[in-house]
Amino acid sequence: MAKTLLIVDDSATMRKIVMRTVKMSGLDFDKTEEAGNGVEALEKLVAGPVDIMLCDVNMPEMSGTELVKEVRKLPDCESTKIIMVSTESSQELIDGVMADGANGFITKPFTPEKFQEKLSPFMN
Amino acid sequence: MATSLTGVQSQAIGLSKDAFDVFCHDISGMFGVGMECKQQENTAETVSSLTERFKKLAAVNSVKAEGAMDGTFQLIFDQEGLLILSGIIVMLPSTNILQRIKRGTVTDIDGMTDAIKEVGNMLVGSWDKVFREGLEKHGHFVQTDTFIGNPWDDPQEKIGLGEDGEFLFIPYQITIDSYPAFNCGVIFPGAVFDKTQTEEKIRAEVRAKLEAEAAEKAGLEAEEKTEAEEKPDLEAEMKAAIEAEERARIEAEMKAEAEAKMKAEAETETKSKALAERKAETEKKAEAEAEAATDIKADDAGTTASEDAAEPQQSETPESTEGTEAAEDAEPAEDAEPAAGAVSETIQKMVESPAGLPGEHFQISLATCAKDIMQTDVLWGNADDSVQQATEKMQQADVGHMLVGTEGLLDGIVSRSDIASAVSVYLKPMFAKWRRPTDDATLQIRIKWIMTRPVQTIKPDTSLAEILKNMRQSGVRCLPVVDQQDKVVGSVTVFDIFAALLSGDSGTSTAGKTPQAPPLE
């Protein structure tokens, strides 16, 4: 069954790279949306929840870690799978964001195989 | 310079090559380009010599290091490098990239700022990944700033390098497809290694002291060792002799036992054959009698129908009642779609049928309800428990499911398979070699994000047939039992059903018995 995806990153270039890499990984998404920061992402999620959210950690206005906490407060987004995408990969950061409700973590640079590995468990 | 390198400096130089290689590998994988990285000879440089190397514009990524390396260092690309890499990641046509390299104007670079920063971001990611695995006590690298332009007129202000300072510079040359090769490298200011240099000095002193002490002990230990080596030889010989004797005795006993067993089996087989023949005769006789009785009953049915409705048929055996109920319950189950992974149809048929497996006779009745087979001692967990905590709880209790909620009211249920699919496959021992921090982190996922909800429940008086039908249709292997107030009073798992089947006593509760769930790998 096709799924919906939301890519959250303050860099438009990175959003395009992520989108391209997702396509290269062969994962089938019915609809893909983008958000340039945490606030924009929340607005989109309130309007309509998504199945999977790929989220940058370092963003202005609202960081990825704050966004995860906010998303988990939304009743309609309980089943949304959140995968963090970041160059930062300290154990403290990863443990913290996982405890707050993220479902996975991908470090940059990434490959289509990495997306395949991390996202495919949530595609069924 | 090379002779005065400390341990951490040497390691950092070696790892920097790996880091650039990983970066090239990842960019190749992401954008389908061929990339090659060659390390040049590392040198001591100053701002003025770096100005000579990077005459035109450059992209300088400042990286804050914590841990074994402490301070800020720089990753630098020359003008061609930043134009080629940024052009590739925004997927410009190669002719366009080549034109930009030829022109090399500030305008060409201005439009690519975002892409250039992302290149730096990814490069820092590669560095962090490599150093995390290769450098002991590495904390982390964070990209703090990306400067694009000419930094050499005010290097302190623009990229944090003092004009009079000396740096360790490790140059690299990268080639991407047919584009011209470009220069890049890492600038390590000496301060980055200061912390570890001091630590290494102290460690070296302590090590020397310890080595001197160890040398003194060595003579004494060598003598003791010679004595100790002689003893094990004698002990080993004695041990081997005892073991051989013991083995011979055990083998003789086993042989005698096997012969006795074979003899006994042969006798039992003869007896069984005789019994089976006798049984077949009896059954044949019983069938003939039953047929005769049915004929008589059919004749009487027309006249005694009203009496039958008012009175229970006491003459019917329990088995025949079960047969009727099974037939009633089996009909809707046939219409339903069996879910994958559910209790097999065979098991349901075994329960519904009065017959058992060949050689077995299951006495379980379809009148059996959830309350007869459920376990009242259920495992509860908190929605905020981590996957790791839940796994430990389930392993300690030796159960395959954990109920989540408070004061007997259910919020969700989590199974070992839910946990297995939430955690990284690299946590399995066979993948230990490739295990990374991101894999360990999946153990911190909260149960509330993976548990199943709403939970399918049953009542204490739900029949066994209904329970099996539920399990088959929904694919679940554990059904919590709730009372009128929706409070959990127990749970029924497929193992409880197996236990009831095998015990041959439908009325016996298996409460308190531990279901043997498969271990979580």
Side-chain angles (χ1 to χ4, degrees), chain B residues 343 373 375 399-401 471 477-478 492-502 510 513-518:
Chain B
V343 177
I373 57 169
Q375 292 192 61
V399 293
H401 295 83
M471 287 181 167
R477 294 175 191 183
C478 174
V492 174
T493 68
V494 286
F495 299 101
D496 299 324
I497 297 168
F498 291 155
L501 276 167
L502 294 170
T510 55
K513 289 180 184 171
T514 309
Q516 296 301 310

Side-chain angles (χ1 to χ4, degrees), chain A:
Chain A
M1 199 180 77
K3 301 267 177 182
T4 50
L5 174 73
L6 174 64
I7 300 167
V8 191
D9 201 306
D10 58 315
S11 159
T13 306
M14 187 45 75
R15 292 201 299 272
K16 296 283 172 256
I17 294 171
V18 170
M19 200 181 283
R20 185 174 178 273
T21 314
V22 168
K23 274 183 191 163
M24 283 167 74
S25 70
L27 297 165
D28 180 29
F29 285 97
D30 193 33
K31 191 179 166 192
T32 305
E33 286 194 85
E34 291 180 38
N37 57 55
V39 178
E40 202 183 319
L42 280 176
E43 281 170 11
K44 284 187 187 282
L45 288 169
V46 168
V50 296
D51 296 305
I52 296 177
M53 180 171 90
L54 291 168
C55 181
D56 184 22
V57 173
N58 296 313
M59 291 188 290
E61 284 192 67
M62 184 189 282
S63 73
T65 49
E66 286 170 305
L67 177 60
V68 170
K69 287 180 199 167
E70 293 304 317
V71 171
R72 288 306 178 209
K73 288 179 195 166
L74 299 175
D76 290 342
C77 294
E78 282 173 347
S79 60
T80 297
K81 305 297 177 195
I82 306 174
I83 313 293
M84 307 307 289
V85 183
S86 177
T87 45
E88 233 187 294
S89 56
S90 70
Q91 196 59 53
E92 197 185 346
L93 169 76
I94 298 171
D95 287 349
V97 80
M98 288 293 199
D100 286 339
N103 301 83
F105 204 102
I106 294 174
T107 49
K108 294 180 195 171
F110 40 71
T111 56
E113 290 75 24
K114 183 58 70 183
F115 273 87
Q116 172 73 31
E117 178 198 319
K118 296 282 181 180
L119 302 192
S120 53
F122 306 124
M123 294 301 283
N124 297 319

